[in-house]
Every structure is written in C-alpha cells, then in structure tokens.
C-alpha cells in the first residue's frame, strides 16, 4: 500500500512542528508548503536529517508549488499572519481571507479529495471561508480549536485535582478563545463530573471558574510570555490527533469546528461541537443536552462567529 501523504500549508511555527510530529509518527510522506522561498525547503532538509536518528522512512519535502500537494490525504492549513500591534481585526481578516482564497483554490485544483484541517485564526471564520473558496464537501473541511481548548482545560484540571492527565476528560463547545464554552457537567476525572468533585470539597466553584477563564485566555497567556509569536506545540499536537483519527478511521469523538445544519439551533455556520472523525471525515455530529447557562454562552459564541462572517462578506463580495 502506498504511503499516505500529509500536506502542510504554512511552514511557520505550527507548520514546522506539524511536519516534525507527522514524520516522527510516520503518518505519511510530508509536504511542507509556504509562499516564502527557502523556509519550507530548509525545514524539510532539517527534518530529513532527523530520519537516521529516529528511523523514520517517510519523506519530507519543502515547496513553493501547489502542484506538490497533489493527491494529499490530509491537508493542515496554518498559512496566514498573526495580528500585530496596530492592526485592526478587519485588517487581519482582510489579509487572512486573501490567504484562504489562495489556499482554497490551491487545494481545489490539486487535492480535492483531502481531509482539510484549518488552524489559521480567526478560526471559525477562516475555516468557513476556506470551505467556501475550496468548494470541498463540508464534512471534509474542519477547524481545529476544540481539541486544543479542551486539552488546555484538561491540563489545568489535572493540576487542580492533582491527578493523572490520563484520567481527565473535558468538554468544550463554541468558538475558539474568548467565547469558548466549557461544559463542566461533562468534564470529568475518571467519569466523576467536575460539579460532583466540587461537592466533595476537592475544589471550589471559584477555582473552577478561574480555570475556565484561564483556558479561554490560554492562547493570550502564551503570547504574553513569548512576546513574539503564539503557541505552536499544543496546536500542532491537537491537529495531528485529528489527522490520525481520519487516516486510521478511528471514529474518535473530538470537538471540532464543523458546519452545522440545524444542530444546536445553528444553521449554515462553522461552530465548535463534538463530532465523530473517521475515514468519511466528519461522520457524525454529537448533540448533547445543554444547561440553560451553557446554551446562553453558546449563543454568545455563535453571535461572535456570525459577526465575523458579516465582516468577511463585506471584505470579499464573492462570499456574500
Ligand atoms: N500561503 C502559504 N503560506 C503563507 C501564506 C500563503 N498565502 N501567507 C503566509 N504564509 C505563511 C507564512 O510565510 C508563515 O510561514 O504562513 C506561515 C505562518 O507561520 P507563523 O507566522 O509562524 O504562524 P504560526 O504560529 O504557525 O500560526 C499560524 O495558526 O494558530 C494560528 O493564529 C495562528 O493564524 C495563525 C496560524
């Protein structure tokens, strides 16, 4: 059987880390694409020189030519720019929308059968735009945010409860970042929901609320520490888990930004919800009953996504 092929669009911090992880895990041959000449080639050369030490046989190639992504099974998109001081939200949207247009057209022309995972921010708007520009089926284009947000939430919960991370599961919905909706009733330590752990005196509502706030601001906390650039190890690790779920037909239940058609009362928008990922891409959307508070928070999150799409449509008339 031929090796799988993983194309990474954007060879920056996350793209390079994705390439490293994909090669270490031998997920398939890796193609690292960027518009900047030399960077994907240099990173690919460096990564190929890991192979003798790590013993992986997959190839890693750097390129500036979309033709090289032909036949990719999975494409992970991190292309774009981060918001810089003085740049308005609409400036950023304008720049990254243009990038999504180029990437969407490149994918449509060269790898229309791929499963596409978008990471570029603002995530919920960019994944929607990427789907529109590429014209791929909705179930083959997803946004990576929920795995990262729930991973951050789980890491903080494990620290709070002083238990192994292996025994913590956490559940988040909604948009990426400030408006994400952690659902503590479905967040557990070995199946024991967080509200029960609070009742047992193992934590307090105040401490859990502080953890939720820290999770929402998880990306910003890292930006403030790094000063230049944003998080990349956990975002890359999260997207690789999604790629593996697809490539291995694992049917994993993971939170992802997906196209909703009425679920959770949301129509024709990309919003973060739990889904089953397998060989068909997004194979099921998992709907759970929400408390009034979670429903209210999800509505706020959905409104924020809608606002972004209005701004996108104003910038690029072809999306309207
Ligand atoms: N096509 C391909 N690559 C592009 C394009 C384009 N049109 N425009 C920019 N790029 C490349 C840049 O050259 C750069 O190498 O995208 C890469 C982005 O890398 P970084 O700036 O290092 O950003 P990174 O930390 O990897 O984050 C990428 O993911 O989490 C989000 O907010 C983050 O939107 C950002 C994205």
């Amino acid at each position: 059987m031929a090796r799988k092929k993983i194309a990474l669009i954007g060879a920056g911090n996350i793209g390079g880390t994705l390439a490293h992880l994909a090669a270490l895990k031998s997920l398939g041959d890796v193609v690292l694409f960027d518009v900047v000449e030399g960077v994907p080639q240099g990173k690919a050369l460096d990564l190929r020189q890991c192979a003798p030490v790590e013993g992986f046989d997959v190839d890693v190639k750097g390129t500036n030519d979309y033709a090289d992504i032909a036949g990719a099974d999975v494409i992970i998109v991190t292309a774009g720019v981060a918001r810089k001081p003085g740049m308005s939200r609409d400036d950023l949207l304008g720049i990254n929308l243009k990038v999504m247009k180029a990437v969407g057209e490149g994918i449509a022309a060269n790898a229309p059968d791929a499963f596409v995972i978008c990471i570029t921010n603002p995530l919920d708007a960019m994944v929607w735009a990427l789907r529109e520009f590429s014209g791929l089926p909705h179930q083959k284009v997803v946004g990576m945010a929920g795995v990262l947000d729930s991973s951050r939430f789980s890491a903080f919960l494990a620290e709070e409860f002083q238990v192994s991370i292996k025994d913590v599961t956490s559940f988040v919905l909604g948009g990426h970042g400030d408006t994400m909706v952690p659902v503590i009733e479905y967040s557990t330590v070995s199946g024991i929901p967080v509200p029960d752990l609070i009742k047992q005196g193992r934590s307090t509502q105040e401490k859990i609320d502080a953890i939720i706030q820290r999770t929402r601001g998880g990306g910003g906390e890292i930006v403030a520490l790094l000063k230049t650039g944003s998080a990349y190890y956990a975002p890359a690790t999260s997207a690789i888990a999604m790629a593996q779920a697809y490539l291995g037909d694992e049917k994993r239940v993971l939170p992802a930004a997906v196209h909703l058609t009425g679920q959770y009362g949301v129509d024709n928008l990309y919003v973060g919800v739990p889904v089953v990922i397998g060989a068909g891409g997004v194979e099921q959307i998992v709907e759970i009953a929400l408390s009034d508070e979670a429903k209210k928070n999800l509505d706020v999150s959905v409104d924020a996504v809608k606002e972004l799409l209005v701004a996108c449509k104003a910038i690029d008339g072809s999306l309207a």
Side-chain angles (χ1 to χ4, degrees), residues 3 47 49 86 99 156 187 233 244:
R3 276 190 215 135
L47 285 163
Q49 293 168 1
V99 174
F156 295 144
S187 301
Y233 295 115
Q244 279 180 296

Side-chain angles (χ1 to χ4, degrees), residues 9-16 33-36 39 43 66 77-83 96 98-100 102-103 119-122 176 229-232 235:
I9 312 295
N13 282 335
I14 301 179
F33 173 97
D34 205 287
V35 283
V36 177
V39 169
K43 289 195 179 184
Y66 270 111
V77 178
T78 60
V81 301
R83 190 158 161 177
N96 282 352
K98 273 205 191 115
V99 174
M100 289 307 108
V103 175
I119 307 187
T120 302
N121 276 321
H176 185 36
S230 47
Y232 48 100

Side-chain angles (χ1 to χ4, degrees), residues 48-70:
R48 284 202 298 279
Q49 293 168 1
C50 300
V53 182
E54 286 291 344
F56 57 77
D57 286 309
V58 297
D59 186 34
V60 187
K61 174 178 179 150
T63 183
N64 308 110
D65 183 355
Y66 270 111
D68 287 320
I69 73 166

Side-chain angles (χ1 to χ4, degrees), residues 6-25:
I6 323 294
L8 308 170
I9 312 295
N13 282 335
I14 301 179
T17 311
L18 285 166
H20 195 193
L21 288 171
L24 287 176
K25 289 171 181 271

Side-chain angles (χ1 to χ4, degrees), residues 2-183:
R3 276 190 215 135
K4 297 292 183 190
K5 181 165 171 178
I6 323 294
L8 308 170
I9 312 295
N13 282 335
I14 301 179
T17 311
L18 285 166
H20 195 193
L21 288 171
L24 287 176
K25 289 171 181 271
S26 294
L27 290 190
D29 289 333
V30 177
V31 175
L32 199 49
F33 173 97
D34 205 287
V35 283
V36 177
E37 284 178 24
V39 169
Q41 291 84 354
K43 289 195 179 184
L45 181 58
D46 190 6
L47 285 163
R48 284 202 298 279
Q49 293 168 1
C50 300
V53 182
E54 286 291 344
F56 57 77
D57 286 309
V58 297
D59 186 34
V60 187
K61 174 178 179 150
T63 183
N64 308 110
D65 183 355
Y66 270 111
D68 287 320
I69 73 166
D73 297 284
V74 171
I75 299 179
I76 308 179
V77 178
T78 60
V81 301
R83 190 158 161 177
K84 301 195 176 63
M87 195 187 265
S88 75
R89 186 199 66 171
D90 284 357
D91 292 341
L92 176 74
L93 267 187
I95 295 169
N96 282 352
L97 258 188
K98 273 205 191 115
V99 174
M100 289 307 108
K101 190 170 183 1
V103 175
E105 289 169 359
I107 292 173
N110 296 284
D113 296 326
F115 179 59
V116 179
I117 303 169
C118 180
I119 307 187
T120 302
N121 276 321
L123 191 268
D124 306 275
M126 290 304 108
V127 64
W128 171 83
L130 182 62
R131 207 306 307 172
E132 293 292 312
F133 290 131
S134 67
L136 264 59
H138 284 104
Q139 73 273 17
K140 299 290 281 295
V141 183
V142 299
M144 189 297 294
V147 176
L148 173 61
D149 288 331
S150 64
S151 182
R152 285 180 173 150
F153 193 30
S154 292
F156 295 144
L157 288 174
E159 269 175 38
E160 168 63 9
F161 292 115
Q162 291 290 296
V163 295
S164 165
I165 190 66
K166 293 191 194 104
D167 296 322
V168 180
T169 59
S170 66
F171 198 104
V172 300
L173 293 169
H176 185 36
D178 300 348
T179 63
M180 64 164 251
V181 183
V183 185

